[in-house]
Amino acid sequence: MDQGFNELFKYLQIVYTRRYLCLLIALTVMTGIIAYSYSLPRKYEADSTVFIEENVIKNLVKGIAVTPEMEDRVRVLKYALVSRDIISKVLAELEIDSTTHNDSELQALITSLQERIQISVKERNGLFTVSIVDDNPRFAQGFINRLINRYLEENLSAKREESYGASRFLHEQLALQKEKLDKAEDTIIEFRKSQGIFLSRDEKSLLEDINQYQKEIVMLRLSSDTLKARRQQLSGQLKSLDPTVAIFSEKQVEDRIATLERRLGQLLLAYTENYPEVIRVKAEIDALRQGGEKGEEGLTESRLTAVNPLHQEIQQQRLTVEAEISSLVARQRLLKELIIAREGELKHIPENRKQLAVLEQERDSHRKLYEDLLARLGQSEVSKQMEIGGKTTNFRVVDPAVFPTVPVSPDMVRMILLAIAGGLAAGVGAAIFRDFLDGSVKNVSQLQELGVEVLAVIPRVIIPQAEARRRRKDILVFSAASVYLVGVVCLLAFEAAKRIA
Amino acid sequence: MSRIEQAIEKAARLRKEGDVVHPLPEWSERPQDRDQLLRAEPIPITSPYLVATNGHVAAEEYRKLKSLLLRLNPREQTGKTLAVTSAVAEEGKSITSLNLALALAQDYDHTVLLVDTDLRHPSLHRYLGLKPEVGLVHCLKEGKDLGKVLIKTGLGKLVLLPAGGTVDDPVEHFASGRMKDLIREMKHRYPDRYVIFDTPPALPFADAQVLAAALDGVIFVVREGHARPGQVKEALGNLKGATLLGTVFNDVSSAPGQGAYYYNYR
């Protein structure tokens, strides 16, 4: 701390010692900078503030209508404003282009303008400022105002066209997509038709069918086996039975004849002798009588036989069983055929499904696109209506460029401040540098370094008259310097006031 | 340097010749004359630089310097001839010589003879407000009696031998036998006498070098912010052969309140 203070004090002392040099250099540098600043060509800046107005409707139609974001607008704005097209149009409007002698001069002018156009954006506020610096204040003002107007005009019409264009495009695309979608649907239908029933079934149901058929076959076999056993039993039973049974014994012949005669009598009541039944009955009676006689002669006993009804019935049952068996066999055969058919179908199913899936996917994508386009078309329609109604964002010129009376460059306030600071720094620097150059003995230690003994250190003798003279001179010089400095400060104040005004 | 060397050679040659050409003059002064010499009305001191007799802060430093010299030159010894010189001009040799002489002259034990040997630019008489018509030059050139040219100052026991004028070739005069005799005379006349020679700067001229070789000691004055260390070193190198008693650092800017003022005593 002490060291630093000593250093500072040392430098202050150096500056004080060489105060005239310091003052001279300071004032010279100050004057030089100020004179140089005033000799610089004046540059004027014209600026215009534009407000990007966002309508309340934007929030209402959020997601329904397409409205450009503020960021997008600003980004586009920056490029659009400095585009060659707009600048050359503005130059033509201002009739500046005719003052240039050839294309390269015009080109150079446009490039220079492009470089000088500054756009600063306060994004949140939706305000942006466009400015330009030029030697000619009138040109700067006119150029900025025309540029903004030109941009706004072009921008609005372009925006409207954009909306209409979008709607038109969507309509075209929609028709195209619809066509594609229909075609895909037709293809699927065709395919389904060609593949027929297979496509209505899936693998699971087919397997279930096969299982079902196999179960039925088993059941049929069981039934068939049961029936076969029954047939065997019936066959055995049939063997044990006589196909015929005796209707009567000898003693019964007479009863039989009597019966037959009774019958004959009854028949004769109704029919003639030639009636077959009558003939048969007569024949039977005859036969019975002859039989009785023969029996008497040969056989001891004679019997009359008839078809055995039991035998007959069992036989009938057996036939029924056999018919059932053959029916079962036929059914089994049919089921087996069905199983083979199902298994065949099962083999073809994956390939067909794949094909169908591809077709369906194609159709789905077409459908999705179509639906999206339909939704967009809806948004676009709203946007279009908004454009027509002028309800989207709007540019509004808040502050048109005014005629700049105070030049921005050289910034005299800054230059004068710089002159003051630079002058002081140069003055102090010169004093310190002069001291640095002065290599004379300044302290005792330097003498001691030379290896000589210092017998006495005699302090400076101050002579009152000389001191008074010096004081008078100091006062004179510093007063003059102060007056000069006050003049500089007044100039600074004047420049500052001019700028504020 | 070659100029200085030539001058020294010439001086040595002249000295040899001088032994023959200039016989020692009769010294008319007697002890009783000395008292008469010292009895005089003090001349008024007008120069503000002659601070050794007033209460100025610098006076204390001169007194310290005097004490140191007294210690270095005890009374018994005869080595009491001192040259005061510096590297370059305007370092305050004359002021230092005068103040030192005044400080010494205030002592009751010493008489002090201050000799202005700056024959190029004599100035001692001006500080004392005197206009002497004769001086050392006349003793050297015309063989004038030393006793006739001494000036009584009345300031303590200080007697001044003014230069009396300027010469073009001081070195030759200083190297002469006449000068040698004068120095011897000044040195041996009174045992309690201090003789202080104010000389030209040592770097540009050989005067101091020639004189210092013939004297008992040299006091080298360095003024703050004047000579560079290299110059001081070179000047000290030129004084080889003489006895350097030490340096006096002159005109030192001190505390900030006092400022850094120059004084011009030409």
Side-chain angles (χ1 to χ4, degrees):
Chain A
M1 189 64 200
D2 232 25
Q3 186 70 28
F5 181 78
N6 283 342
E7 278 289 301
L8 181 71
F9 177 70
K10 192 181 113 189
Y11 284 114
L12 282 177
Q13 204 172 19
I14 289 169
V15 170
Y16 183 79
T17 308
R18 305 188 188 279
R19 57 197 177 281
Y20 291 153
L21 174 75
C22 181
L23 258 185
L24 179 73
I25 297 288
L27 295 184
T28 308
V29 169
M30 218 178 277
T31 311
I33 294 176
I34 292 172
Y36 171 73
S37 305
Y38 275 102
S39 74
L40 285 175
R42 297 280 173 273
K43 301 247 181 220
Y44 295 87
E45 185 183 58
D47 59 44
S48 176
T49 306
V50 179
F51 179 51
I52 305 175
E53 194 177 29
E54 279 193 276
N55 208 299
V56 188
I57 204 162
K58 189 191 169 184
N59 287 327
L60 298 178
V61 298
K62 205 171 187 178
I64 301 170
V66 182
T67 54
E69 287 302 314
M70 181 69 82
E71 287 76 18
D72 298 335
R73 287 199 169 280
V74 169
R75 203 165 38 241
V76 171
L77 174 104
K78 282 186 175 175
Y79 289 105
L81 264 181
V82 295
S83 74
R84 181 184 311 281
D85 180 46
I86 285 197
I87 291 176
S88 50
K89 279 178 188 167
V90 170
L91 287 179
E93 275 181 45
L94 290 169
E95 293 173 2
I96 299 287
D97 55 347
S98 57
T99 62
T100 54
H101 297 99
N102 50 44
D103 281 352
S104 64
E105 264 185 42
L106 182 65
Q107 180 56 45
L109 178 63
I110 290 175
T111 310
S112 150
L113 287 168
Q114 278 176 329
E115 280 166 6
R116 282 185 282 147
I117 294 171
Q118 292 291 322
I119 300 164
S120 58
V121 183
K122 293 167 187 164
E123 300 213 2
R124 294 292 139 224
N125 299 338
L127 281 171
F128 67 93
T129 308
V130 185
S131 61
I132 195 162
V133 175
D134 195 84
D135 301 346
N136 183 351
R138 190 156 298 288
F139 169 76
Q141 180 200 17
F143 180 78
I144 283 296
N145 282 336
R146 298 262 178 163
L147 182 72
I148 295 283
N149 288 338
R150 165 63 62 180
Y151 173 74
L152 294 189
E153 271 173 33
E154 299 217 342
N155 179 268
L156 289 179
S157 60
K159 206 158 55 126
R160 202 153 289 166
E161 267 175 31
E162 198 183 321
S163 272
Y164 280 110
S167 191
R168 200 163 48 240
F169 171 76
L170 285 175
H171 269 297
E172 285 167 13
Q173 286 298 311
L174 207 59
L176 205 66
Q177 283 302 321
K178 178 83 177 107
E179 203 178 305
K180 281 185 185 169
L181 180 63
D182 288 346
K183 205 169 154 190
E185 290 276 17
D186 289 347
T187 314
I188 288 171
I189 291 164
E190 282 301 316
F191 183 73
R192 276 187 186 284
K193 270 185 192 164
S194 70
Q195 295 302 316
I197 196 152
F198 299 136
L199 291 172
S200 62
R201 295 190 179 180
D202 56 11
E203 289 162 343
K204 199 179 160 192
S205 72
L206 281 175
L207 281 172
E208 271 174 8
D209 282 358
I210 291 167
N211 277 341
Q212 185 63 37
Y213 296 154
Q214 278 171 347
K215 272 182 199 164
E216 270 181 46
I217 288 170
V218 171
M219 293 306 287
L220 287 174
R221 266 196 202 132
L222 275 174
S223 303
S224 155
D225 286 352
T226 311
L227 287 172
K228 276 177 185 167
R230 185 164 165 70
R231 186 178 64 182
Q232 207 173 355
Q233 191 200 358
L234 285 172
S235 297
Q237 209 175 347
L238 212 56
K239 275 178 193 162
S240 66
L241 283 175
D242 280 335
T244 56
V245 284
I247 296 167
F248 62 93
S249 56
E250 261 181 17
K251 66 174 181 147
Q252 283 175 328
V253 174
E254 288 173 7
D255 293 340
R256 175 77 179 154
I257 294 166
T259 307
L260 285 170
E261 281 175 344
R262 262 192 315 273
R263 169 105 175 123
L264 189 60
Q266 281 172 353
L267 284 169
L268 286 173
L269 289 172
Y271 306 101
T272 62
E273 290 280 328
N274 294 329
Y275 187 72
E277 189 64 22
V278 173
I279 297 166
R280 194 193 64 91
V281 172
K282 273 184 179 175
E284 199 174 335
I285 291 168
D286 286 346
L288 278 173
R289 275 174 183 158
Q290 281 173 5
E293 286 171 2
K294 277 180 195 171
E296 282 176 0
E297 299 172 283
L299 294 167
T300 58
E301 153 179 100
S302 70
R303 289 158 45 114
L304 181 66
T305 59
V307 176
N308 188 350
L310 189 59
H311 184 268
Q312 201 110 28
E313 193 189 322
I314 287 172
Q315 198 162 17
Q316 191 62 44
Q317 277 184 13
R318 204 185 71 158
L319 285 172
T320 311
V321 166
E322 273 181 356
E324 272 182 35
I325 285 173
S326 49
S327 150
L328 284 178
V329 168
R331 195 164 156 70
Q332 272 187 46
R333 199 167 50 243
L334 180 66
L335 283 173
K336 277 177 184 169
E337 279 170 10
L338 276 174
I339 285 173
I340 287 162
R342 288 289 180 276
E343 279 170 351
E345 277 177 39
L346 210 55
K347 275 180 197 162
H348 285 101
I349 273 180
E351 205 178 325
N352 290 328
R353 275 209 181 277
K354 211 155 72 186
Q355 277 183 31
L356 186 67
V358 168
L359 288 173
E360 280 178 343
Q361 205 173 5
E362 204 177 335
R363 191 246 348 248
D364 287 350
S365 74
H366 282 306
R367 180 178 290 160
K368 191 170 179 325
L369 206 57
Y370 178 75
E371 282 167 358
D372 281 357
L373 280 171
L374 209 57
R376 290 282 161 87
L377 183 68
Q379 291 182 358
S380 164
E381 282 298 321
V382 178
S383 305
K384 196 169 85 178
Q385 291 309 315
M386 280 170 67
E387 290 296 344
I388 293 163
K391 290 182 174 59
T392 51
T393 56
N394 255 327
F395 289 97
R396 200 146 52 86
V397 180
V398 179
D399 215 353
V402 292
F403 183 76
T405 50
V406 183
V408 286
S409 166
D411 183 347
M412 285 316 292
V413 173
R414 189 186 288 179
M415 291 307 276
I416 293 170
L417 285 173
L418 178 78
I420 294 172
L424 291 178
V428 170
I432 292 171
F433 184 65
R434 179 69 190 78
D435 189 74
F436 172 74
L437 286 184
D438 175 17
S440 63
V441 177
K442 291 203 189 67
N443 51 55
V444 178
S445 60
Q446 280 174 289
L447 280 181
Q448 286 165 341
E449 277 167 24
L450 290 172
V452 291
E453 194 186 349
V454 179
L455 300 173
V457 177
I458 313 292
R460 188 158 296 176
V461 177
I462 296 155
I463 311 302
Q465 290 89 343
E467 173 69 1
R469 246 195 334 271
R470 187 199 59 76
R471 254 184 226 281
R472 272 198 302 278
K473 188 179 165 193
D474 273 3
I475 288 168
L476 202 70
V477 171
F478 279 103
S479 299
S482 301
V483 167
Y484 186 85
L485 208 61
V486 166
V488 171
V489 171
C490 284
L491 192 66
L492 175 69
F494 171 69
E495 290 293 345
K498 214 158 73 171
R499 193 202 268 187
I500 292 163
Chain B
M1 283 308 290
S2 59
R3 200 172 139 219
I4 292 173
E5 278 160 10
Q6 280 169 9
I8 293 168
E9 274 173 27
K10 194 177 175 185
R13 198 175 62 242
L14 283 171
R15 198 182 298 150
K16 272 182 197 162
E17 292 163 4
D19 283 344
V20 186
V21 175
H22 304 288
L24 189 67
E26 191 69 26
W27 185 264
S28 59
E29 204 179 335
R30 292 186 300 276
Q32 60 268 33
D33 297 332
R34 194 187 77 163
D35 296 336
Q36 198 187 348
L37 191 66
L38 298 175
R39 271 200 307 272
E41 275 298 303
I43 55 169
I45 293 176
T46 51
S47 171
Y49 299 109
L50 301 187
V51 295
T53 52
N54 62 31
H56 194 276
V57 64
E60 187 56 38
E61 289 298 319
Y62 286 117
R63 275 197 287 277
K64 276 190 211 163
L65 177 61
K66 178 190 77 179
S67 314
L68 268 171
L69 285 176
L70 292 179
R71 270 216 304 277
L72 287 168
N73 286 304
R75 177 181 266 237
E76 296 77 33
Q77 286 183 8
T78 51
K80 291 175 188 172
T81 51
L82 303 171
V84 176
T85 189
S86 64
V88 295
E90 295 188 18
E91 293 206 69
K93 292 177 297 294
S94 303
I95 294 292
T96 306
S97 310
L98 257 169
N99 277 311
L100 178 60
L102 282 170
L104 276 166
Q106 281 175 324
D107 264 11
Y108 291 112
D109 299 338
H110 314 287
T111 56
V112 181
L113 175 59
L114 180 58
V115 186
D116 195 345
T117 49
D118 190 349
L119 298 185
R120 296 165 195 275
H121 196 83
S123 62
L124 288 178
H125 60 277
R126 279 195 280 130
Y127 288 114
L128 291 168
L130 303 169
K131 287 176 181 170
E133 288 171 1
V134 289
L136 179 63
V137 173
H138 301 91
C139 296
L140 288 171
K141 282 167 93 174
E142 300 160 17
K144 207 172 173 66
D145 183 8
L146 192 63
K148 297 279 190 295
V149 296
L150 294 179
I151 297 173
K152 299 173 270 186
T153 64
L155 302 168
K157 295 174 180 174
L158 175 65
V159 177
L160 174 72
L161 172 56
T166 55
V167 291
D168 297 333
D169 51 350
V171 177
E172 288 167 18
H173 286 291
F174 291 148
S176 66
R178 174 72 187 154
M179 186 66 194
K180 218 169 162 184
D181 292 342
L182 278 176
I183 291 171
R184 197 166 60 236
E185 177 61 29
M186 284 186 249
K187 191 172 166 183
H188 294 287
R189 190 74 183 173
Y190 306 113
D192 62 343
R193 177 184 266 177
Y194 271 89
V195 191
I196 297 169
F197 293 81
D198 178 24
T199 70
L203 209 53
F205 312 115
D207 308 20
Q209 195 179 342
V210 174
L211 273 173
L215 302 179
D216 297 328
V218 176
I219 289 177
F220 198 87
V221 179
V222 179
R223 183 176 173 185
E224 185 189 287
H226 265 239
R228 289 192 295 279
Q231 289 177 310
V232 173
K233 201 173 173 182
E234 195 183 335
L236 288 174
N238 287 351
L239 293 173
K240 258 180 205 159
T243 311
L244 178 69
L245 297 178
T247 57
V248 170
F249 196 33
N250 196 20
D251 191 31
V252 177
S253 56
S254 46
Q258 279 185 265
Y261 309 138
Y262 294 93
Y263 61 98
N264 188 355
Y265 53 85
R266 284 192 66 148

